[in-house]
């Protein structure tokens, strides 16, 4: 009876593989599945007829499959396993005494084939052809790791300082003691209905500040995690829960120079900022508003910018209208929630600068991507830079609006006040996948890094990372600023990671490349729209090699076969394959090799800690019948409908019927790069089989990361955004994982670190999951603090004694 059941299962598998294999061959794919499926069908029939030859034939199939697998994948266990594991399992069942009864003999060759396949798999399990070992260099510029404007134990901005390095000069936690980290306290925000929690808290003096997805601002005691106060901006509850994101708030410590309010002008110049005396400044400050000398700036999902006293959480009444400015002012096509600031603004000594998120692909008539600078004291608009009208930066007259649908900056900007520039990572010109109706003057700022003059908002330089972007390859991450030692001397540089995997190192004074950038030929048009003939690529990059049919993956031969067929059906000419009605494979996909989490740089060692991720997407153009019907969406404002364009677009990950990525792992790494040479020194898989499996297993597969890393002077890097719901510590020198802790849900934000009132270094992680990637867990609102366990240290001392 068992023989019959196994034979029928083998028959079903064989029929599926033969039918699918024939389809694959018709698409010029591998003939293996057709041949193997036919052999399985024959084996099943012979088993049912109790023929001894069934076992010998099955042994030949196993040996042939092993040879084909090694030819395609080499000794890569994760690539070998789905090709042969199910076949080996059936073979193992058939050699068990009594299972294939009454068939006599023939088991020895099959047993040898099973043992050979198992032995090769075992060898492959301990090989990692994707691993790169090496060691990053030690300190190069020992005096470069600390900003005098931020205390060593504080974290004043999204990237700790306005330079966006995500580097802390704290060194209590080291590779030798990081394994002693334990939870000190856990705080729950109460925003349990949230769909995303991407906030990186700030730490100023003895207080933590963070925002929730519904844009409440919470102040916590930095030592105990006890709530001190909370500000609710009173946003409409159902504005759009899926899209409500708050990555953080901005902090203003008080003036280092006289405020802008002391000078009457419409377009300030740098020398005017210094014109007022201290007494003039004091005369302009209302004594009742002294409580707002230190303040926080909170962006909201209904497009407001609110100024709050950092000590009490009360509104700063002198800023705008009762402590807030309306970001819908002057905006074309005002339709919430198509526009709002999802990331914290940038604060200088004089102005607060803010961009905003524009909902992708809703229509050709979207709000503007304008960048605005407001007086940090009174909220008066100082300048506005509209990519659709880049030369006109003076505030718009009443009644005029900014240009519609211009490229926006939804991520976090960086500032160099000494050079007088703000650096903006720019998004794509909407609609993302349709480029025929764009303003050519505005599109030169699309998917680029733009440097604006702090005083005037005028463009100082622009560096475009994608020409005529049709793939949603926004520049998604905050630029990191540091001084780099080169053969030509020390150069102030900007390090910019991108979705497509390039990491550009530019002279931040001019935008000129410090590491080489070359133009590469791009795929030709597929007849739907014009395309760029070439695309830039940096010498420092994490660009994956082009996908091949043999790179398709699955848990079984059947879903792997599905992925191979789908691969052959899609348009794919490598990176930058244009979208098509047939469906185009986009790799890397718009998920990005890097996203808002960016990378972390060590200004002392002049190296970068990165977390590249690799997932392919499918982009399909859907012809529109009219300008108002829904073609690809069912609710909300109409994501990907592209109203007014000839095509809507379907965007989805390239997955198997089981919901697994169709490309073989690894899907995520940690990697270390030397910024002076552009060399990737080490690279290791990161993350376990907790993704995509619902069961967490301590087997490293390499999963995507949505979040970002930090680096500490102690030589330890931290990251919490892996899809397997762990926070981990890494040796910065080698990339070796030193410590990890299971989070209640994904921590898809950048961690931070600080000193509490007792002098202990704290690691802080926010964990709330993310709807777009389906991370699961019992809690969606946790803020978790880790500290070194002193008791464990004492125990170690006792043992040594």
């Amino acid at each position: 009876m068992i023989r019959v059941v196994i034979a029928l299962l083998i028959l079903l598998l064989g029929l599926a593989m033969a039918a699918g294999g024939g389809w694959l061959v018709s698409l010029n794919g591998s003939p293996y599945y057709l041949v193997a499926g036919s052999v399985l069908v024959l084996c099943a029939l012979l088993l049912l007829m109790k023929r001894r030859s069934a076992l010998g034939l099955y042994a030949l199939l196993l040996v042939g499959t092993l040879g084909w697998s090694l030819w395609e994948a080499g000794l890569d266990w994760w690539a070998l396993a789905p090709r042969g594991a199910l076949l080996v399992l059936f073979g193992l069942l058939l050699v068990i005494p009594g299972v294939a009864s009454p068939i006599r003999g023939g088991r020895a060759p099959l047993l040898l084939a099973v043992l050979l396949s198992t032995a090769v798999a075992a060898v492959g399990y301990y090989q990692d052809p994707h691993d790169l070992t090496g060691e990053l260099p030690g300190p190069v510029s020992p005096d470069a790791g600390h900003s005098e404007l931020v205390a060593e134990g504080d974290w004043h901005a999204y990237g700790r300082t306005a330079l966006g390095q995500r580097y802390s000069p704290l060194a209590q936690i080291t590779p030798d003691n990081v394994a002693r980290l334990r939870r000190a306290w856990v705080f729950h925000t109460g925003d349990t209905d949230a769909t995303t929690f991407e906030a990186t808290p700030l730490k100023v003096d003895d207080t933590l500040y963070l925002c929730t997805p519904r844009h409440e601002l919470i102040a916590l005691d930095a030592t105990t995690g006890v709530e001190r106060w909370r500000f609710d901006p009173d946003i409409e509850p159902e504005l759009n829960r899926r899209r409500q994101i708050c990555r953080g708030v901005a902090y203003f410590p008080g003036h280092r120079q006289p405020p802008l309010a002391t000078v009457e002008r419409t377009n300030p110049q740098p020398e005017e900022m210094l014109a007022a005396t201290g007494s003039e400044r004091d005369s302009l400050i209302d004594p009742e508003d002294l409580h707002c000398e230190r303040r926080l700036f909170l962006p909201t999902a209904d497009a407001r910018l609110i100024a709050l006293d950092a000590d009490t959480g009360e509104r700063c009444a002198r800023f705008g209208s009762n402590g807030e400015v309306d970001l819908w002012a002057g905006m074309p096509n005002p339709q919430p929630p198509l526009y709002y600031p999802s990331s914290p603004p940038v604060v200088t000594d004089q102005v607060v600068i803010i961009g905003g998120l524009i909902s992708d692909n809703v229509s050709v008539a979207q709000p503007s991507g304008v960048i605005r600078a407001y007086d940090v004291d009174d909220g008066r608009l100082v300048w506005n830079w509209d990519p659709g009208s880049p030369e006109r930066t003076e505030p718009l007259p009443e009644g005029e609006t900014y240009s519609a649908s211009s490229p926006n900056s939804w991520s976090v900007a960086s500032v160099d006040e000494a050079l007088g520039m703000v650096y903006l990572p720019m998004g794509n010109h909407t609609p993302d996948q349709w480029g025929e109706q764009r303003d050519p003057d505005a599109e030169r700022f699309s998917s680029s890094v733009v440097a604006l003059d702090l005083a005037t908002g005028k463009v100082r330089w622009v560096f475009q990372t994608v020409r005529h972007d049709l793939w949603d390859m926004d520049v998604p991450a905050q630029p990191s600023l540091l001084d780099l030692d080169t053969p030509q001397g020390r150069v102030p540089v900007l390090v910019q990671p991108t979705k497509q995997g390039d990491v550009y190192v530019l002279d931040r004074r001019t935008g000129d490349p410090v590491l080489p950038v070359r133009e590469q030929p791009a795929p030709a048009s597929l007849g739907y729209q014009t395309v760029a003939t070439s695309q830039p690529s940096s010498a420092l990059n994490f660009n994956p090699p082009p996908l091949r049919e043999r790179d398709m993956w699955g848990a079984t031969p059947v879903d792997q076969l599905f992925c191979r067929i789908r691969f052959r059906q899609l348009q794919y000419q490598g990176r930058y394959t244009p979208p098509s009605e047939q469906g185009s494979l986009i790799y890397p996909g718009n998920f990005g090799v890097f996203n808002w989490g960016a990378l972390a740089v060590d200004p002392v060692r002049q190296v970068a800690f990165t977390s590249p991720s690799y997932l392919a997407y499918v982009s399909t153009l859907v012809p529109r019948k009219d300008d108002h019907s829904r073609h690809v969406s069912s609710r909300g404002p109409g994501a990907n409908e592209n109203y007014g364009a000839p095509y809507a677009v379907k965007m989805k990950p390239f997955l198997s019927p089981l919901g697994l990525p169709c490309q073989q792992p690894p899907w995520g790494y940690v990697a270390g790069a030397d910024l002076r040479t552009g060399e990737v020194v080490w690279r290791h898989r990161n993350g376990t089989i907790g993704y995509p499996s619902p069961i967490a297993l301590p087997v490293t597969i390499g999963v995507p990361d949505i979040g970002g890393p930090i680096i500490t002077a102690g030589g330890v890097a931290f990251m919490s955004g892996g899809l397997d719901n762990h926070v981990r510590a890494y040796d910065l020198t080698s990339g070796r994982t030193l410590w990890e802790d299971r989070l209640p849900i994904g921590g898809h934000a950048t961690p931070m670190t600080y000193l509490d009132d007792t002098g202990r270094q704290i690691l802080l992680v926010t964990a709330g999951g993310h709807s777009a990637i389906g991370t699961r867990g019992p809690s969606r609102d946790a803020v978790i603090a880790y500290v070194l366990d002193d008791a464990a240290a004492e125990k170690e001392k006792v043992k040594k004694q």
Side-chain angles (χ1 to χ4, degrees), residues 198 356 499 664 760 792:
E198 300 175 14
K499 282 188 178 181
Q664 69 188 30
R760 303 177 302 173

Side-chain angles (χ1 to χ4, degrees), residues 358-689:
I358 295 176
S359 293
D360 286 343
N361 306 327
V362 174
S363 76
V364 297
Q366 294 280 83
S368 176
V370 63
I371 310 297
R372 286 171 281 195
Y374 295 94
D375 186 298
V376 76
D377 289 306
D378 60 23
R380 177 171 45 84
L381 183 61
V382 177
W383 54 256
N384 41 234
W385 178 69
D386 178 358
S389 183
E391 299 303 321
R392 186 183 178 189
T393 61
E394 68 276 6
L396 283 187
E398 189 72 25
E400 290 192 27
T401 61
Y402 304 109
S403 59
S405 304
S406 52
N408 64 317
S409 183
W410 57 265
S411 190
V412 186
S414 298
V415 167
D416 185 333
E417 292 194 66
L419 289 177
M421 280 186 270
V422 58
Y423 303 95
L424 302 164
M426 298 297 295
N428 189 15
H429 199 312
T430 188
D432 292 325
Q433 285 78 30
W434 183 250
E436 296 299 282
Q437 295 166 262
R438 295 174 181 170
D439 177 354
D441 291 331
E443 195 181 22
R444 68 189 179 101
F445 301 109
S446 174
S447 302
S448 67
V449 187
V450 176
L452 301 182
D453 188 281
L454 275 178
T456 66
K458 297 290 186 180
V459 175
R460 298 275 288 269
W461 57 260
V462 57
F463 182 91
Q464 191 166 51
T465 67
V466 183
R467 319 273 188 240
H468 196 56
D469 187 352
L470 303 174
W471 306 273
D472 190 21
M473 291 298 172
D474 304 335
V475 177
Q478 180 183 26
S480 296
L481 313 183
L482 74 157
D483 294 339
L484 199 64
D485 290 307
T486 73
Q488 292 74 38
R490 181 164 292 187
V491 178
V493 301
L494 174 151
V495 180
Q496 182 63 69
T498 64
K499 282 188 178 181
Q500 59 270 30
D502 290 296
V503 178
Y504 293 98
V505 180
L506 310 175
D507 186 322
R508 66 177 184 267
R509 298 168 297 187
T510 63
D512 296 328
V514 174
L515 291 180
V517 174
R518 61 190 178 98
E519 291 286 325
Q520 295 183 319
S525 171
L526 297 175
Y528 297 92
Q529 53 188 322
T530 56
V531 300
T533 57
S534 67
Q535 296 288 354
S537 185
S538 174
L540 174 55
N541 68 75
F542 296 86
N543 305 334
L547 290 174
R548 305 162 297 176
E549 181 194 317
R550 65 178 60 186
D551 297 321
M552 297 302 100
W553 193 74
T556 70
V558 176
D559 56 310
Q560 185 180 81
L561 174 57
F562 169 89
C563 289
R564 286 177 179 250
I565 292 171
R566 191 73 184 110
F567 175 81
R568 289 290 181 178
Q569 290 175 323
L570 294 169
Q571 289 281 357
Y572 183 60
Q573 303 170 31
R575 194 162 71 143
Y576 301 117
T577 299
S580 64
E581 289 186 51
Q582 179 181 345
S584 296
L585 189 59
I586 311 301
Y587 184 67
N590 65 340
F591 184 93
V593 176
F594 301 104
N595 211 297
W596 68 79
L599 46 74
V601 299
D602 185 331
V604 176
R605 299 172 67 167
Q606 300 186 4
V607 300
F609 182 97
T610 74
S611 55
S613 299
Y614 300 98
L615 284 178
Y617 271 64
V618 177
S619 177
T620 306
L621 297 177
V622 179
R624 292 196 58 83
K625 299 176 182 178
D626 53 52
D627 289 343
H628 58 272
S629 299
R630 289 182 180 271
H631 287 56
V632 295
S633 65
S634 59
R635 60 182 182 177
N640 298 330
E641 289 291 353
N642 292 350
Y643 297 119
Y647 293 96
V649 62
K650 289 182 179 178
M651 288 291 298
K652 60 181 182 180
F654 186 32
L655 303 178
S656 77
L658 298 180
L660 301 175
C662 267
Q663 72 204 70
Q664 69 188 30
W667 306 301
Y669 299 89
V670 288
D674 187 329
L675 294 174
R676 293 176 298 157
T677 64
E679 179 189 5
V680 178
V681 176
W682 53 256
R683 180 184 63 239
H684 309 301
R685 297 176 189 249
N686 182 65
T688 62
I689 207 169

Side-chain angles (χ1 to χ4, degrees), residues 215-218 229-233 249-252 291-298 305-317 319 322-323:
H215 293 250
E216 288 186 337
L217 197 158
I218 302 173
W229 54 260
R230 179 182 299 233
F231 174 81
D232 187 345
V249 297
Y251 171 67
F252 176 69
H291 68 283
C292 273
E293 179 66 13
R294 300 187 320 132
R295 70 201 70 152
L296 302 163
F297 290 98
L298 171 69
L305 178 62
I306 303 175
L308 302 170
D309 180 83
D311 296 317
T312 65
E314 297 175 359
R315 288 174 178 265
C316 298
F319 184 83
N322 191 30

Side-chain angles (χ1 to χ4, degrees), residues 715-783:
V716 180
F718 294 97
M719 193 170 68
S720 63
L723 268 61
D724 62 342
N725 299 1
H726 279 78
V727 56
R728 292 185 172 90
Y730 309 86
D731 186 322
L732 178 60
T733 299
S734 67
R736 179 170 56 95
T737 300
L738 303 170
W739 166 86
E740 65 181 33
D741 186 48
R742 176 82 176 180
L743 298 172
I745 196 170
H748 305 302
T750 303
M752 50 87 76
T753 187
Y754 64 91
L755 293 181
D756 69 6
D757 279 353
T758 68
R760 303 177 302 173
Q761 183 178 350
I762 302 290
L763 169 69
L764 198 71
V765 175
T766 57
H770 202 290
S771 62
I773 50 180
T775 45
R776 300 172 292 269
S779 170
R780 303 191 67 89
D781 66 337
V783 181

